[in-house]
Amino acid sequence: MAKLKSLAKHQKKSVLNKTINFFVKSNFHAYLVGGYVRDTTLGIKPIDIDTVVEGNAIKAAKALNLKLKGKLCIYKEFGTASIITKAERIDLASARVEKYPSPAKLPHVYPSTIIEDLNRRDFTINAMAMSISKEDFGEIFDPFNGLEDIKKGLIRVLHKNSFNDDPTRIFRALRYKNRFGFKIEKKTKIIMKEAIDKKMIKQLTGQRILNEIRLIFTEKKYQETIKDLSDLIIFKIKKKDWELLPLLGPNRIYLYLSKLDTNEFPLKTEERKIMHDLNKTGSIISRLEKTSKNSIIYNILYPISDQVIDMIPLIRPELKKKINIYFRLKKIKPFIKGNDLKNLKVKQGRKFKILLKKMLDLQLDKKINSRKDALQYLKNLKNNE
Ligand code: ATP
Ligand code: MG
């Protein structure tokens, strides 16, 4: 905690310093909380600055932003706001109590004090606060001994109903465990397994599950978390698919999603297309390996999304050359367009499409090298009909 105080003191002119100065002088009672306190204690640079205000955080955010001059985002329904400056992001939340109307549903929220606010949090390591107000500046609030758990490297829930109230905490627990190399505390593990056995995750909306999966894939240690989920029989994944993930680059999440039942997930059409195409990579690779003809390479890859094509050389480096050929071919402008066939009185329909494709294939394979030759070729075809 000494680290936290000295950081707060020494970061002159930084966004943090300006934020602290603002709160020390204002009438808002504010605290650094959650990830900020945890990461600073661990000696890690926090991703963002999490604060809680007793009272109206939105009002506080508006006033603070007059000093920071960042981008202010207000989430009225949650009583929260964010300020995004060039250097930092600050989250401001109004201290709140949460009451769960039924398990796994979103809670009703009511204004509260900082202690009540810490009670609603997921894990002890995330339930600490430090005052940045003049009355008690620097005072640490650690009602669940989070500091001890940080030292011991433990992820521990605050109460035995925690995973039933909010099963997304199962994903969060595994994420933190792997990010920090911590262990899940014994009792926490037991109640986590109970919640899994009770199929609590099924009670979450697809939107919330998808959000958790996206967060997992932003982490360095995503592969460990995916294994943990599989071992816990939440989302089983085959060893060969799991081993493939690190090879696939930033779009690897889609391979994972393509193995899950995602009917209820709010995925974009382009994302579903990537997932669909990814399941065809085996056959695409074997077809590409068998050919070196431009038109065949083009026709194999043309229906496939670029994100999946980019992954092919990551899986099979020998195919890099053919993928480069494809991207070059894709830029070629066809000598013959639909209008040319219409002018030659070719009727719309299957034959029309086949002919158009044939003309492009001939061009890609350099059998026809100019528009003039292409038109001549078509005329000859017509005359021989
Ligand atoms: P990260 O470094 O991943 O941002 P974080 O701890 O800041 O970690 P956030 O998801 O930004 O995590 O949430 C901020 C804080 O809000 C957490 O530290 C935790 O106290 C609380 N919190 C977030 N999600 C939940 C949840 N599902 N249940 C209870 N508390 C939560
Ligand atoms: Mg955070």
Side-chain angles (χ1 to χ4, degrees):
M1 278 305 161
K3 255 186 238 155
L4 192 70
K5 281 191 201 169
S6 72
L7 195 87
K9 255 189 223 153
H10 291 114
Q11 285 204 355
K12 288 231 163 59
K13 285 195 192 129
S14 69
V15 171
L16 176 66
N17 200 258
K18 285 183 192 162
T19 303
I20 291 174
N21 272 339
F22 167 81
F23 280 116
V24 167
K25 287 181 193 145
S26 81
N27 289 323
F28 295 103
H29 209 149
Y31 305 83
L32 291 169
V33 288
Y36 191 87
V37 177
R38 180 199 66 220
D39 289 350
T40 317
T41 311
L42 276 163
I44 299 171
K45 188 180 170 348
I47 299 169
D48 38 32
I49 304 175
D50 295 311
T51 66
V52 159
V53 179
E54 282 174 341
N56 190 333
I58 293 175
K59 226 167 134 184
K62 282 181 183 163
L64 172 60
N65 200 38
L66 295 177
K67 300 246 177 296
L68 297 181
K69 301 186 171 48
K71 183 172 173 256
L72 176 67
C73 307
I74 292 176
Y75 311 98
K76 219 169 166 189
E77 62 279 31
F78 300 111
T80 63
S82 301
I83 298 172
I84 299 153
T85 70
K86 269 187 204 136
E88 303 271 5
R89 174 197 165 103
I90 307 177
D91 289 327
L92 299 98
S94 311
R96 63 187 195 259
V97 182
E98 292 183 343
K99 300 245 158 73
Y100 287 85
S102 55
K105 295 289 167 285
L106 287 172
H108 296 151
V109 302
Y110 309 91
S112 76
T113 61
I114 184 69
I115 292 292
E116 288 168 311
D117 185 281
L118 294 177
N119 279 331
R120 73 167 171 89
R121 291 179 183 257
D122 46 4
F123 311 114
T124 58
I125 61 165
N126 288 344
M128 299 184 284
M130 186 189 98
S131 167
I132 46 172
S133 297
K134 55 180 167 293
E135 304 94 287
D136 53 358
F137 186 88
E139 193 173 321
I140 303 294
F141 297 79
D142 181 12
F144 301 99
N145 280 327
L147 198 55
E148 270 305 302
D149 283 342
I150 287 185
K151 281 190 201 143
K152 291 185 196 154
L154 288 178
I155 310 291
R156 186 198 306 268
V157 283
L158 310 189
H159 59 87
K160 64 180 190 328
N161 231 2
S162 187
F163 291 116
N164 294 331
D165 281 348
D166 181 354
T168 65
R169 291 173 187 163
I170 297 170
F171 298 95
R172 293 178 63 86
L174 299 174
R175 211 153 45 83
Y176 289 126
K177 161 188 165 284
N178 292 318
R179 188 196 295 176
F180 301 126
F182 281 13
K183 288 204 161 61
I184 297 187
E185 178 271 333
K186 222 165 126 195
K187 276 193 200 139
T188 301
K189 209 185 237 171
I190 293 170
I191 61 166
M192 183 162 131
K193 287 211 174 111
E194 282 169 4
I196 294 167
D197 291 343
K198 276 199 283 174
K199 309 259 180 285
M200 290 309 295
I201 288 173
K202 283 232 164 80
Q203 309 253 355
L204 290 168
T205 60
Q207 163 89 65
R208 293 184 76 198
I209 299 176
L210 177 61
N211 190 32
E212 292 304 323
I213 295 176
R214 289 198 202 274
L215 285 172
I216 290 170
F217 276 91
T218 63
E219 302 266 342
K220 266 206 191 99
K221 295 287 167 84
Y222 68 88
Q223 213 191 2
E224 284 84 338
T225 306
I226 296 304
K227 177 155 191 323
D228 288 341
L229 287 174
S230 189
D231 291 347
L232 288 164
I233 330 277
I234 296 175
F235 298 129
K236 285 291 279 174
I237 179 167
K238 287 191 187 133
K239 192 161 175 270
K240 77 168 185 11
D241 293 326
W242 182 80
E243 284 172 348
L244 208 52
L245 292 173
L247 294 182
L248 295 183
N251 284 314
R252 58 174 65 91
I253 184 175
Y254 298 111
L255 175 77
Y256 185 61
L257 288 170
S258 75
K259 306 294 171 193
L260 308 182
D261 173 5
T262 56
N263 279 340
E264 305 287 317
F265 291 10
L267 285 154
K268 294 189 196 112
T269 318
E270 310 89 84
E271 293 182 305
R272 291 209 182 269
K273 166 92 171 96
I274 296 174
M275 287 155 58
H276 172 263
D277 290 350
L278 262 171
N279 274 327
K280 295 201 270 187
T281 45
S283 102
I284 295 170
I285 288 173
S286 73
R287 283 158 66 208
L288 281 177
E289 279 172 341
K290 285 189 204 114
T291 188
S292 47
K293 201 168 172 188
N294 282 355
S295 59
I296 300 183
I297 296 175
Y298 182 85
N299 288 314
I300 294 171
L301 294 175
Y302 185 72
I304 306 300
S305 50
D306 282 358
Q307 288 91 333
V308 174
I309 297 175
D310 284 335
M311 284 188 222
I312 291 173
L314 304 176
I315 305 172
R316 197 61 52 91
E318 309 87 271
L319 289 174
K320 177 86 186 139
K321 242 179 156 174
K322 288 182 187 169
I323 300 299
N324 287 344
I325 291 176
Y326 168 74
F327 282 118
R328 222 186 55 231
L329 295 175
K330 216 178 139 187
K331 287 192 203 133
I332 289 179
K333 293 210 172 68
F335 293 141
I336 297 301
K337 302 238 172 71
N339 265 345
D340 299 311
L341 298 192
K342 271 189 218 155
N343 292 341
L344 287 165
K345 309 272 180 284
V346 182
K347 279 196 208 108
Q348 291 280 355
R350 212 176 103 80
K351 210 180 135 201
F352 187 98
K353 277 194 195 138
I354 293 173
L355 189 53
L356 208 54
K357 183 170 151 335
K358 184 178 173 181
M359 294 309 293
L360 181 60
D361 287 353
L362 288 168
Q363 182 181 348
L364 298 178
D365 292 333
K366 296 198 163 40
K367 299 266 167 45
I368 289 178
N369 294 309
S370 69
R371 178 170 159 78
K372 196 172 144 222
D373 290 353
L375 287 168
Q376 189 57 51
Y377 183 94
L378 281 174
K379 271 181 204 146
N380 293 346
L381 266 188
K382 201 85 193 140
N383 293 340
N384 292 337
E385 253 178 17

